[in-house]
Amino acid sequence: IVRDYDVDLKIPVSGFEALSAMESVRTSMKMRAGQWERRSSLRHQDRHTISLASQLRDAMPGSLKSYLIPILILLAVTLPHLDQGDFRRDTVRYAAVGLHMWKDGSLLVPQLNPEKLYFNKPPMAFWIYGFFLKIFGANLVTARFPSILAAIGVLAFSMLSVRNLASRREAVVSGIVLALTYEFFRRTREISLDFWQLFFVMLAVWL
C-alpha cells in the first residue's frame, strides 16, 4: 500500500483513512473561514470605532470653537452698520407682503396690499420676515436680521457637509472662504428669499 502525506495536516491518505483525512481537511477549512470572518469583523469594528472617535473629537469644545471661526467672521462683516441705508428694490416689496400677512391678511394668501394678491414667491420666507417685522417693528435691522440667520445656517450646514467628505480643517477653511465671499454676505443687507431656500437645500445635503 502506497501512502501519501499532506504537508500541512500530516494525515495519511489511503484506503479508509482517506475519509478521515477529508474530514480533517473540511474541519481545517471551516476553522480558517471562521478566523477570516472574525478578522473581517474586527477590521469593520475598527473602522467604525475610528469613525466614532472622529465624531467625538468634532464634538469636543475645542473642535466646536474651530467651527465658530467662520460664523464669527460672517458676523464681523455683516453686523456693523446694519441700520444704514434704506429699503430698496425687492426689500420693500417683500417686507410689505410679509408684514401684511401677519397684521391684516392671511398667512396662506400673500398680498402686496388689500387689493393685490402676490403669488410670485413661496410664502414661507414671507412668514419669517413678516414675523420679525411684526414683533420688533418695521425697520432695516429687523428686516435684515432674518437674512443673517439664514446665512449662518447655510454656512453651518455647508461646513457639516464638507466634514462628511473631508477633514475638520478643510471644513473650517471652506467655511471661512464662504463667509468672506462678497456676493454671499452682501445678500444679508436685504430681504433675500433665496437665502432661506439655500438654507433648506444645504440642510437636505447634510442629511
Side-chain angles (χ1 to χ4, degrees):
I1 300 175
V2 179
R3 295 173 178 264
D4 192 9
Y5 291 89
D6 183 82
V7 176
D8 294 330
L9 301 175
K10 301 301 182 182
I11 298 177
V13 183
S14 65
F16 293 104
E17 294 176 350
L19 296 176
S20 178
M22 292 175 63
E23 186 65 28
S24 298
V25 170
R26 291 194 190 98
T27 303
S28 177
M29 292 177 65
K30 289 180 180 179
M31 292 177 61
R32 293 179 181 178
Q35 291 175 356
W36 183 86
E37 290 178 358
R38 286 193 295 271
R39 291 174 182 174
S40 178
S41 177
L42 288 174
R43 285 195 295 268
H44 178 73
Q45 292 177 1
D46 290 341
R47 287 195 296 267
H48 184 63
T49 302
I50 292 173
S51 176
L52 288 177
S54 177
Q55 295 177 9
L56 289 175
R57 284 196 301 270
D58 284 348
M60 297 297 288
S63 301
L64 293 177
K65 289 180 181 178
S66 63
Y67 286 110
L68 289 176
I69 294 174
I71 296 176
L72 293 177
I73 292 175
L74 177 64
L75 294 177
V77 297
T78 55
L79 290 181
H81 311 294
L82 191 61
D83 59 340
Q84 291 185 355
D86 53 13
F87 287 93
R88 295 181 180 179
R89 295 186 302 179
D90 293 336
T91 296
V92 63
R93 182 185 304 111
Y94 296 156
V97 173
L99 188 59
H100 183 72
M101 291 176 72
W102 281 97
K103 280 190 171 182
D104 307 314
S106 169
L107 292 178
L108 299 179
V109 183
Q111 292 178 301
L112 188 58
N113 55 57
E115 292 78 25
K116 185 177 182 180
L117 300 180
Y118 190 83
F119 290 105
N120 297 33
K121 302 290 183 180
M124 180 175 288
F126 292 131
W127 296 343
I128 298 172
Y129 287 102
F131 177 78
F132 275 83
L133 291 169
K134 179 184 178 182
I135 297 299
F136 301 105
N139 55 74
L140 281 175
V141 175
T142 304
R144 291 168 173 172
F145 191 71
S147 295
I148 296 177
L149 294 180
I152 292 174
V154 170
L155 184 60
F157 287 123
S158 297
M159 289 189 291
L160 292 174
S161 300
V162 174
R163 183 64 185 92
N164 288 338
L165 302 174
S167 66
R168 184 178 70 249
R169 178 179 298 179
E170 291 170 320
V172 173
V173 170
S174 70
I176 294 174
V177 172
L178 180 59
L180 292 175
T181 301
Y182 176 73
E183 284 298 322
F184 181 76
F185 67 77
R186 183 182 69 86
R187 289 287 184 173
T188 61
R189 294 287 176 169
E190 60 189 38
I191 292 182
S192 176
L193 307 184
D194 296 334
F195 253 136
W196 285 101
Q197 179 184 13
L198 184 58
F199 170 83
F200 289 106
V201 169
M202 293 311 304
L203 173 62
V205 170
W206 173 61
L207 293 176

